[in-house]
Amino acid sequence: MRTQRLQRRLTRHEAVVGVVGQGYVGLSLAASAAVDGLTVRAVDVDGARIRELALGRNVVPGVDDAMFAAAVDTGRLSFDTDPAAVADCDVVVICVPTPVVEHRPDLSFIEDAGRAVAAHLQRDSLVILESTTYPGTTDQILRPLLEAGGLRAGRDFLLAYSPERIDPGNVKYGLRNTPRVVGGIDEASSRTAGLFYSQLVDDVEVLSSCRAAEMAKLLENTFRMVNIALVNELATLCGEQNIDVWEVIRAAATKPFGFMPFYPGPGVGGHCIPLDPTYLAWQSRRDTGRPFRLVETAQDINAHMPTYVTTRVIEALSEHGKAVKNASVLALGVTYKPDVGDLRESAAIEVLGRLARKGARISFHDPFVSEIREHELNLRRSALTGAALEAADIVLLLTPHSSYDTDQLTRHAKLLFDARNAIGSPRPSTVVPL
């Protein structure tokens, strides 16, 4: 196998890169690679998405508009629905979804992508899987699919795993300055995958295997999920004891060692935190017969938070002489995190669905979302005006986008439920904290 030739093409920026899957992970990678001088073939089965991207329209939430525009301007980024576009690629990166269905990992997108790539895989190339998944997927699921065409991993092509680490909306850490973890099926695969990412990323950590890299990704997000569950449960305890949980966290965070602050909220959302630990819990039960007890407990705590927030909202209304039935509720921010237009697993929408089933009249505003069509809701975005704030029996600040003027909210809302401590302390008497 001519590994050195591929490595030379990478260092000289002569390599052609195929990126299969044009969600925010795949498109972010494709755009960055094009800006950094590589020729990129971007592939996705969604024809409507590909047409928009080919016209230079960024229709993928979470992808930096400036980076996308710069990539298009290079002329090195092309879009296609035909997987044959990867046939001349030196590197093929698979960035497809790995959802959880009925508490089990759904690897059908990886399997489909593997079969599509295998049909056009060229000798002496490198295949990298970026999709988050459980340890063993690259070796046990993807590898046999790629080898079905007759080529053999390690002999005819290289194979590695490198988990995506993109944090949508994070203005401090992007693809370039977030270290990349890489693990291959053998030393040549690891080294070459590390060389590829070193063209795009400042720091690359090369591990001993695909399994180690797969597990590292799950540890990252499980760590976050467990600590979020801790402060979520602490928030419920503090609420029962009339203690300001935000003050407690702020005080604990003054310790310069041994503590990292996490913050409570209406629940966890997005594509990582609610889903990735499920892979770990599922694999533990499948391979060892034991539950991953800490993970499963944390999942239960976080899953309860929308119910807890709903109860707090109903209590706040009651304390101000208003029943939840027929109460006018204006929700601000329904995406899973601030300044990102992603509704996946959004706890805010679950809260609204629960309140609607209690008889509340729901309206919402979110600068990134024009309509809600889930959790039995059928809503179009309302205008955010002083009059709208004053007319609501309660305003719910569920996801505090930076465009929201908190002074305006406290000035006009007669009752404001602040799920994320956006108002801070001291709070007006009309503001109800989580």
Side-chain angles (χ1 to χ4, degrees):
M1 182 170 176
R2 297 178 295 174
T3 304
Q4 292 181 340
R5 175 182 177 275
L6 173 56
Q7 293 174 346
R8 283 196 301 271
R9 287 179 61 80
L10 286 169
T11 55
R12 295 172 181 174
H13 283 204
E14 297 171 351
V16 179
V17 179
V19 181
V20 179
Q22 291 302 293
Y24 82 93
V25 173
L27 183 56
S28 296
L29 176 69
S32 179
V35 168
D36 285 332
L38 298 173
T39 299
V40 182
R41 313 269 192 258
V43 178
D44 198 282
V45 296
D46 187 335
R49 173 175 295 183
I50 288 297
R51 284 192 295 274
E52 291 295 306
L53 295 175
L55 291 171
R57 299 170 184 157
N58 180 16
V59 292
V60 181
V63 175
D64 183 78
D65 288 329
M67 174 66 78
F68 175 75
V72 171
D73 288 345
T74 67
R76 291 187 290 268
L77 176 59
S78 60
F79 298 96
D80 211 312
T81 56
D82 188 349
V86 306
D88 68 338
C89 291
D90 301 284
V91 180
V92 179
V93 187
I94 297 174
C95 306
V96 294
T98 47
V100 172
V101 178
E102 296 182 353
H103 307 289
R104 296 170 60 89
D106 178 4
L107 302 185
S108 60
F109 294 95
I110 291 179
E111 293 167 348
D112 290 345
R115 283 187 282 266
V117 170
H120 306 285
L121 186 62
Q122 69 173 4
R123 194 178 298 273
D124 301 325
S125 61
L126 165 66
V127 179
I128 303 170
L129 177 62
E130 282 203 6
S131 306
T132 303
T133 186
Y134 62 87
T137 301
T138 307
D139 282 305
Q140 299 167 7
I141 304 297
L142 181 59
R143 180 175 182 168
L145 292 171
L146 295 174
E147 291 181 335
L151 299 181
R152 291 291 175 264
R155 184 192 72 187
D156 303 308
F157 67 94
L158 303 174
L159 179 61
Y161 179 79
S162 181
E164 59 87 9
R165 278 178 160 176
I166 297 172
D167 184 15
N170 193 323
V171 297
K172 182 177 181 181
Y173 291 106
L175 194 146
R176 167 61 69 177
N177 65 346
T178 301
R180 174 67 70 153
V181 168
V182 174
I185 62 165
D186 54 26
E187 184 180 353
S189 297
S190 297
R191 186 172 61 252
T192 307
L195 179 61
F196 165 67
Y197 284 107
S198 70
Q199 313 304 306
L200 315 176
V201 179
D202 293 336
D203 296 305
V204 178
E205 181 75 14
V206 178
L207 305 186
S208 61
S209 66
C210 298
R211 291 172 63 87
E214 289 162 338
M215 184 65 85
K217 170 63 174 181
L218 297 189
L219 173 60
E220 294 170 15
N221 286 331
T222 300
F223 173 82
R224 291 172 62 195
M225 188 270 287
V226 167
N227 281 280
I228 291 170
L230 171 63
V231 294
N232 276 337
E233 189 158 37
L234 182 69
T236 64
L237 176 63
C238 285
E240 292 166 354
Q241 299 191 357
N242 197 29
I243 299 172
D244 186 338
V245 68
W246 306 99
E247 182 182 16
V248 171
I249 295 171
R250 187 169 61 250
T254 62
K255 186 178 181 181
F257 55 90
F259 182 83
M260 178 183 295
F262 288 80
Y263 302 98
V268 295
H271 76 294
C272 286
I273 304 302
L275 305 182
D276 295 1
T278 301
Y279 305 140
L280 211 51
W282 172 82
Q283 188 179 40
S284 178
R285 286 185 177 273
R286 186 196 67 171
D287 293 351
T288 71
R290 297 190 304 272
F292 204 136
R293 292 176 294 172
L294 185 61
V295 167
E296 294 185 7
T297 298
Q299 288 173 320
D300 288 343
I301 293 168
N302 289 333
H304 178 69
M305 287 307 291
T307 300
Y308 174 73
V309 169
T310 302
T311 300
R312 292 280 290 124
V313 171
I314 293 172
E315 290 173 347
L317 284 166
S318 178
E319 289 169 3
H320 287 76
K322 185 70 179 179
V324 65
K325 187 173 183 179
N326 294 320
S328 172
V329 176
L330 172 58
L332 304 183
V334 296
T335 59
Y336 85 92
K337 66 181 295 188
D339 298 329
V340 169
D342 195 336
L343 289 174
R344 284 178 294 179
E345 307 296 327
S346 173
I349 296 180
E350 185 175 345
V351 169
L352 299 187
R354 289 178 177 276
L355 288 170
R357 289 192 291 276
K358 296 288 185 180
R361 294 181 289 110
I362 307 295
S363 59
F364 86 96
H365 176 273
D366 191 301
F368 300 94
V369 179
S370 60
E371 61 182 17
I372 300 175
R373 299 284 185 269
E374 55 184 289
H375 284 282
E376 302 176 35
L377 299 169
N378 187 3
L379 304 173
R380 294 194 63 82
R381 179 173 55 204
S382 300
L384 180 56
T385 64
L389 292 168
E390 292 168 0
D393 292 311
I394 189 168
V395 175
L396 311 185
L397 185 53
L398 298 174
T399 305
H401 298 300
S402 60
S403 60
Y404 288 146
D405 182 348
T406 54
D407 289 337
Q408 180 197 30
L409 303 185
T410 55
R411 189 166 59 249
H412 291 283
K414 51 177 167 274
L415 186 60
L416 175 63
F417 181 84
D418 183 4
R420 304 291 187 107
N421 198 38
I423 305 302
S425 298
R427 302 182 189 91
S429 60
T430 55
V431 175
V432 180
L434 177 68

